Amino acid sequence: MEELLELKALLLKGDIKGSLAIVEDLEDMSKNGIISTIRGYAVILLLHLIKQQAENRTTRSWDVSIRNSVREIQRQNKRRKAAGYYLSDEELTDTLNDAYLNALDAASLEVESGRYQSEKLEAIIDKNKLISDAFLLIKNVSPYSLGEHPIYAISINT
């Protein structure tokens, strides 16, 4: 709120350069909030993809969590009034990578009833494939050939 008051004062004084600096700060604050929200949903998405990969199976509950996380990431990343997205593909990939360790820690408590420590679990999964699959799901592109994986049956847009 204080930034808005400062912006108003600068505009009333005719300080365009100072006003633009405040606008840039506000844009950064907004984008950081969006990144934080997306990262939270990315942890949930990756958690369930890790469980699928580690246990070589899926459940309806995991599928629903994946679908809901993907929808929320898509929703949060979409600009409402302007066309496009807040995060570029590179920024989205970076955000998925940032969420990975938290997802791995959470998955270590759940995969095979907590049988693996995070380090052991990391050794049995393919992180690059995991991040790639998550990215493709978010971009609404199936990372699997038709019928290759149970998650393919999940409709992201429903």
Side-chain angles (χ1 to χ4, degrees):
M1 185 64 166
E2 146 182 347
E3 287 86 359
L4 291 176
L5 295 174
E6 186 178 348
L7 176 60
K8 180 180 177 181
L10 290 171
L11 286 170
L12 290 172
K13 287 194 308 189
D15 184 353
I16 301 301
K17 186 176 179 182
S19 299
L20 289 174
I22 298 292
V23 168
E24 287 177 18
D25 286 346
L26 290 170
E27 286 176 341
D28 285 344
M29 288 172 23
S30 175
K31 190 169 184 179
N32 286 338
I34 291 165
I35 290 170
S36 180
T37 301
I38 289 173
R39 187 174 39 248
Y41 287 112
V43 169
I44 297 166
L45 171 60
L46 292 172
L47 161 68
H48 294 292
L49 291 176
I50 289 169
K51 291 191 308 185
Q52 284 182 335
Q53 196 179 107
E55 294 190 11
N56 199 27
R57 68 183 184 95
T58 193
T59 68
R60 285 186 59 219
S61 174
W62 298 353
D63 292 345
V64 168
S65 291
I66 289 167
R67 187 169 55 236
N68 289 342
S69 296
V70 166
R71 278 193 203 121
E72 288 303 319
I73 291 169
Q74 290 170 337
R75 197 172 285 131
Q76 292 295 321
N77 196 31
K78 187 149 181 65
R79 291 184 183 272
R80 303 289 181 263
K81 295 182 181 175
Y85 301 94
Y86 289 104
L87 302 184
S88 67
D89 288 353
E90 182 180 345
E91 291 169 320
L92 183 57
T93 301
D94 289 346
T95 302
L96 289 168
N97 277 299
D98 289 346
Y100 172 75
L101 288 178
N102 288 354
L104 186 66
D105 283 344
S108 73
L109 301 173
E110 296 185 30
V111 169
E112 294 187 28
S113 301
R115 177 178 168 198
Y116 300 105
Q117 295 292 325
S118 297
E119 299 79 21
K120 297 276 188 194
L121 182 57
E122 187 170 31
I124 64 171
I125 62 166
D126 182 346
K127 177 186 176 186
N128 291 331
K129 180 171 180 2
L130 189 79
I131 298 297
S132 175
D133 288 353
F135 178 83
L136 291 171
L137 285 169
I138 293 164
K139 296 307 256 180
N140 211 9
V141 176
S142 175
Y144 306 102
S145 300
L146 184 60
E148 180 183 334
H149 194 280
I151 194 171
Y152 184 81
I154 299 171
S155 174
I156 301 301
N157 292 322
T158 60

